[in-house]
Amino acid sequence: MPLLLQTHHLTYQFANGETLLSDISVSLSESRVGLVGRNGVGKSVFLSLLMKHKAPSSGTVSLSGNVGYYSQSPSTLIESSASLAEFLKVDDLLTALTHIEAGSSDPKWFEIVGDNWGIRQALSDELMVLGLPTDLDFPCCKLSGGQLAKLQLSQLFKSNVDLLILDEPTNHMDGNAKNWLIEQIQAFPGYVLVVSHDRQLLRSVNQIWELSQRGLTQYGGNYDFYREQKDLEARAVERQLLSVSNQQKRLEQQAQKDQEKADKRAAQGNKIRKQGGQPKILLNAMRSSATKSASNRRKNESGRREFLEQKASELQSRHEQLKAQKLYMDSEKGRGKRLFSIVDGVLPFGCNTPLTLQLNGGSKMRLSGGNGCGKSTLLKVLQGEVELMSGELQLNTPVYYLDQHFGVLNSERTMLDNLTELCPHLPHDQARTLLAGIGFRRDSVYRTVCQVSGGEKMKLSMLVVSHQKEQPLLLLDEPDNHLDIDSKVILANALKAYQGAFVLISHDEDFTAESGVALSYEL
């Protein structure tokens, strides 16, 4: 029986000749596989090749079954004013039921309904179990991000496909929704390939595929096993680098000793030649032998030196891929001051229970609660975009809102231009140093924002918001959504070291704990 999915020497190049993916050969043999990799490495392109939405530059993809696909980007239907009934493709059926219930005896309505007389109640019950509005006329555009994800995924899990490819399905999902998703993945009878940076989800898979500049590497276990193997690999590379460095030092020391010996023998030979008493032919032969020996020695040293330099270069390149990037956030102190307070505030959307809370300088707060409870609405209240329906808000600090769509950035400007223009007090050299810390060195700082991945945009946005001249209160609405796992750890460490204040919305428990959050408010 042929394998469901295989690739053979898969390569993809851009129109300018730049290679993104090279010589990838892999087979889907486990039923639950997680695909990971740093932002910008080509995961989305790889998925497009697997589903044959894109054609490879060379190599082949063999797919012997039906595929269902979940994308991070919402469908056009969901972005429109379509109702739940329209999304579920039952609007015609419900219309027919409405006409029959109103007394129509037109045969066409009965033909449409068929045996589905209980469809309205059945769908309402299903939506209630999913935690979604039970009104089938409810517009999809008013659902939260997590609710939209659940709606789309619930239909995929009911589909009769052999393989589900899920691209970042936990983005916007709260804890309960994540648990639901993991249960659905485990219960699905076919294969699941999930692209994710969510460690909780990746702990539930049987195998990890890592996409990197080296190609695709398979790890035979879940995320924790993969992380352990990566740590072992990093330590092994560091040991090899140290060994090569020591060999290079010993080679140079030995070369110096050999040269000193050769110089000493040459000096003794010149002294004997000047004193006379030795046949000239013998002295010439000795000098010729010494010259040949020195030439061979230098040739061997040169060959050994080139070999060690090449090995060191390869190991250093591998070490660069394994080591963490660094996100440097400004950390000017601002403790003690009350930044904002809300007394008996009622949000215009979500939770309608009056809320009372306050935040002082230097505090790090997490907003928690289920999808649709009003967390993002509260951040919009703090930034002045919407007003409380009732209650009092006192805001005593500038705020900077970081959304999931990177609205702060100009997509047509370069990475360097965005940072220097949005943070005009930053010296040019410091801006380049900050960009190098998130992986943009030399000419890569001149890449336009529209050319980089979502995770790279998020890291640039974090640099911008954290290096404002007046340290603002940071409002972070799921900033980790588009980040790879390594970048999540980098951002979490930076937020933990940050001495300013922030309000964070995140459904990633690992990321939240690593960010140094000390306060939590549940809506």
Side-chain angles (χ1 to χ4, degrees):
M1 180 178 177
L3 289 169
L4 179 64
L5 176 66
Q6 288 181 294
T7 70
H8 302 274
H9 306 294
L10 198 63
T11 297
Y12 184 84
Q13 292 180 322
F14 294 114
N16 63 3
E18 180 184 352
T19 298
L20 179 65
L21 305 172
S22 179
D23 197 31
I24 295 177
S25 296
V26 68
S27 300
L28 183 66
S29 56
E30 293 288 342
S31 59
R32 307 289 180 265
V33 176
L35 175 63
V36 301
R38 286 187 174 179
N39 298 126
V41 78
K43 298 187 295 297
S44 294
V45 172
F46 181 59
L47 293 187
S48 295
L49 294 173
L50 294 183
M51 294 182 292
K52 303 187 177 181
H53 295 168
K54 288 182 182 290
S57 302
S58 63
T60 60
V61 175
S62 300
L63 184 60
S64 59
N66 298 320
V67 178
Y69 176 58
Y70 172 81
S71 170
Q72 299 181 57
S73 304
S75 69
T76 305
L77 182 64
I78 286 179
E79 290 178 333
S80 72
S81 57
S83 66
L84 286 171
E86 288 173 304
F87 176 80
L88 296 171
K89 296 182 173 57
V90 295
D91 48 312
D92 289 342
L93 178 56
L94 296 180
T95 298
L97 279 172
T98 300
H99 280 285
I100 293 171
E101 290 166 353
S104 174
S105 58
D106 191 327
K108 72 175 182 180
W109 301 127
F110 288 86
E111 184 178 346
I112 291 173
V113 172
D115 295 326
N116 297 305
W117 296 102
I119 188 67
R120 185 181 284 115
Q121 186 61 49
L123 286 176
S124 294
D125 292 345
E126 181 182 339
L127 291 170
M128 184 172 63
V129 170
L130 290 172
L132 300 177
T134 56
D135 179 7
L136 291 166
D137 293 324
F138 190 89
C140 293
C141 60
K142 290 188 177 181
L143 295 173
S144 71
Q147 290 173 322
L148 287 174
K150 257 188 151 180
L151 177 62
Q152 291 177 286
L153 287 163
S154 65
Q155 299 307 297
L156 279 176
F157 285 119
K158 292 195 298 183
S159 63
N160 186 27
V161 296
D162 304 295
L163 169 64
L164 284 180
I165 296 181
L166 311 179
D167 191 2
E168 295 288 359
T170 59
N171 279 0
H172 315 296
M173 280 191 170
D174 60 27
N176 290 333
K178 283 186 189 180
N179 291 334
W180 170 85
L181 173 63
I182 291 171
E183 290 173 1
Q184 295 299 310
I185 288 175
Q186 297 301 330
F188 183 68
Y191 288 74
V192 178
L193 173 60
V194 56
V195 180
S196 181
H197 304 308
D198 187 289
R199 285 164 279 187
Q200 179 186 354
L201 175 57
L202 291 172
R203 290 186 180 107
S204 69
V205 302
N206 310 117
Q207 188 179 60
I208 296 289
W209 290 1
E210 183 193 44
L211 193 61
S212 69
Q213 294 177 348
R214 294 192 306 158
L216 192 143
T217 306
Q218 296 172 278
Y219 294 84
N222 67 4
Y223 172 78
D224 291 330
F225 176 83
Y226 157 78
R227 188 68 263 170
E228 181 182 347
Q229 296 304 305
K230 293 287 288 183
D231 291 342
L232 289 172
E233 185 179 0
R235 289 195 290 270
V237 168
E238 289 171 0
R239 288 195 299 269
Q240 292 174 61
L241 268 172
L242 179 60
S243 174
V244 169
S245 176
N246 290 335
Q247 291 178 62
Q248 289 175 315
K249 290 177 182 177
R250 288 195 294 270
L251 177 62
E252 296 306 322
Q253 290 170 354
Q254 188 60 50
Q256 181 65 28
K257 289 179 181 179
D258 291 343
Q259 186 61 49
E260 289 172 358
K261 289 180 181 179
D263 292 343
K264 185 175 182 180
R265 286 195 298 267
Q268 289 174 343
N270 290 334
K271 183 178 180 180
I272 293 172
R273 185 181 294 276
K274 289 178 181 179
Q275 290 174 346
Q278 291 285 353
K280 190 173 182 178
I281 189 171
L282 177 59
L283 292 173
N284 288 341
M286 292 173 63
R287 182 165 62 182
S288 177
S289 176
T291 301
K292 184 177 181 180
S293 177
S295 176
N296 288 335
R297 186 186 72 249
R298 284 192 293 270
K299 185 176 180 180
N300 290 336
E301 288 171 356
S302 177
R304 180 65 175 164
R305 189 176 289 112
E306 289 179 6
F307 170 77
L308 290 175
E309 286 175 354
Q310 181 179 355
K311 189 173 182 180
S313 177
E314 292 171 354
L315 287 170
Q316 190 61 46
S317 176
R318 181 64 187 135
H319 189 249
E320 287 290 329
Q321 294 176 17
L322 290 168
K323 77 175 184 179
Q325 300 170 354
K326 293 184 179 180
L327 177 58
Y328 297 98
M329 295 178 66
D330 199 1
S331 57
E332 182 181 333
K333 293 184 179 180
R335 297 182 181 275
K337 174 183 175 183
R338 179 171 295 178
L339 302 180
F340 75 82
S341 64
I342 297 176
V343 178
D344 294 329
V346 176
L347 299 175
F349 178 79
C351 174
N352 56 11
T353 302
L355 56 94
T356 297
L357 74 155
Q358 66 181 41
L359 191 72
N360 295 327
S363 298
K364 300 171 181 179
M365 174 183 284
R366 178 196 188 185
L367 290 181
S368 61
N371 292 129
C373 69
K375 299 185 295 297
S376 294
T377 302
L378 178 54
L379 294 193
K380 290 178 181 178
V381 168
L382 292 174
Q383 65 173 319
E385 186 175 323
V386 299
E387 295 183 355
L388 291 171
M389 292 182 65
S390 62
E392 181 183 357
L393 164 66
Q394 289 188 345
L395 187 64
N396 307 311
T397 180
V399 299
Y400 214 113
Y401 177 71
L402 183 61
D403 66 0
Q404 300 160 24
H405 308 291
F406 328 111
V408 68
L409 303 177
N410 184 332
S411 62
E412 302 304 317
R413 305 288 285 171
T414 68
M415 304 284 285
L416 182 59
D417 285 345
N418 267 281
L419 185 55
T420 55
E421 289 171 8
L422 294 168
C423 305
H425 62 287
L426 276 182
H428 189 271
D429 290 346
Q430 185 180 352
R432 293 199 64 135
T433 298
L434 292 171
L435 289 170
I438 60 172
F440 289 90
R441 299 176 176 85
R442 296 182 286 277
D443 289 344
S444 63
V445 300
Y446 300 114
R447 293 175 66 187
T448 57
V449 168
C450 62
Q451 293 178 314
V452 302
S453 70
E456 290 165 329
K457 290 175 187 175
M458 180 57 73
K459 286 187 281 188
L460 175 60
S461 298
M462 285 302 307
L463 287 181
V464 170
V465 301
S466 67
H467 284 82
Q468 297 303 299
K469 194 167 185 178
E470 290 187 13
Q471 188 176 70
L473 166 66
L474 302 185
L475 305 178
L476 308 174
D477 194 352
E478 301 188 61
D480 54 310
N481 254 358
H482 300 276
L483 296 181
D484 58 55
I485 296 173
D486 290 342
S487 297
K488 283 191 179 191
V489 174
I490 295 164
L491 176 56
N493 290 336
L495 288 172
K496 186 175 183 179
Y498 182 58
Q499 296 187 41
F502 62 76
V503 179
L504 170 70
I505 298 175
S506 175
H507 298 302
D508 188 320
E509 298 296 334
D510 291 299
F511 173 78
T512 301
E514 292 164 357
S515 298
V517 170
L519 302 172
S520 181
Y521 188 89
E522 183 173 2
L523 292 175

